[in-house]
C-alpha cells in the first residue's frame, strides 16, 4: 500500500482469524507484532470497518500507532522493533466498547487512556 509517502511498502499480515497481527515497514521502518486476546472485544469490535480502513485511520492519525491502534479484538501487547508495550486493565461500557485502559511502554512508563464515543 502507499501513495508516494513514507508508508509506501507497508506490509500487513493477518492471522488465522483474519485479524491483523503484524505490520512491517511502518513509520520509520518499524516492525510491529500485535498480540490479541480471543473472545475479548477491542474498541471497534462491532463497528463495520474492515482492516484496511482501520489501518488507514491509524496511518493518518498523526499520533503514535500504539496509542491509536484500534482492533476488533482486545490488544494485549504490541512489540515494536523488540520493545514491548503492554495493555491492561480494560474497562468497557454497556455495549462492550473499551472506555479506559492502561499501557506500560518499553521504558516502563505507565499511561492511562480514556476513550469516549459520539453517536453520529
Amino acid at each position: 500500500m502507499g501513495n508516494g509517502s513514507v508508508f509506501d511498502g507497508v506490509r500487513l499480515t493477518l492471522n488465522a482469524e483474519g485479524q491483523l497481527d503484524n505490520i512491517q515497514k511502518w513509520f520509520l521502518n518499524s516492525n510491529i507484532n500485535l498480540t490479541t486476546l480471543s473472545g475479548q472485544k477491542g474498541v471497534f469490535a462491532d463497528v463495520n470497518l474492515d482492516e484496511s480502513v482501520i489501518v488507514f485511520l491509524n496511518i493518518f492519525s498523526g499520533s503514535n500507532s500504539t496509542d491509536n491502534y484500534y482492533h476488533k479484538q482486545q490488544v494485549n501487547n504490541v512489540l515494536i522493533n523488540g520493545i514491548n508495550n503492554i495493555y491492561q486493565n480494560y474497562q468497557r461500557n454497556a455495549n462492550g466498547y473499551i472506555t479506559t485502559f492502561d499501557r506500560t511502554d518499553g521504558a516502563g512508563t505507565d499511561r492511562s487512556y480514556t476513550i469516549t464515543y459520539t453517536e453520529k
Side-chain angles (χ1 to χ4, degrees):
M1 62 193 283
N3 61 357
S5 72
V6 295
F7 297 107
D8 280 357
V10 171
R11 292 192 301 264
L12 311 175
T13 304
L14 304 181
N15 62 23
E17 296 176 335
Q19 299 292 327
L20 185 65
D21 68 358
N22 178 264
I23 305 170
Q24 294 183 5
K25 296 189 176 289
W26 191 261
F27 186 67
L28 298 178
N29 213 30
S30 297
N31 293 322
I32 302 172
N33 291 313
L34 295 126
T35 302
T36 56
L37 300 179
S38 296
Q40 297 292 320
K41 290 184 177 183
V43 177
F44 290 146
D46 298 319
V47 177
N48 188 22
L49 297 175
D50 66 29
E51 295 295 338
S52 63
V53 174
I54 295 170
V55 169
F56 175 86
L57 291 173
N58 286 283
I59 285 176
F60 295 100
S61 68
S63 300
N64 187 295
S65 61
T66 60
D67 296 346
N68 290 287
Y69 193 81
Y70 303 121
H71 204 271
K72 293 180 183 178
Q73 292 178 352
Q74 179 178 303
V75 174
N76 186 42
N77 66 66
V78 179
L79 186 67
I80 304 177
N81 292 340
I83 299 172
N84 200 23
N85 291 265
I86 301 170
Y87 294 77
Q88 56 191 352
N89 301 325
Y90 291 89
Q91 299 294 318
R92 294 178 179 81
N93 63 18
N95 294 320
Y97 295 104
I98 294 169
T99 55
T100 63
F101 65 93
D102 297 330
R103 177 175 75 92
T104 302
D105 65 20
T109 303
D110 294 329
R111 293 184 171 91
S112 296
Y113 296 88
T114 301
I115 300 168
T116 56
Y117 302 89
T118 302
E119 186 173 343
K120 292 187 176 186

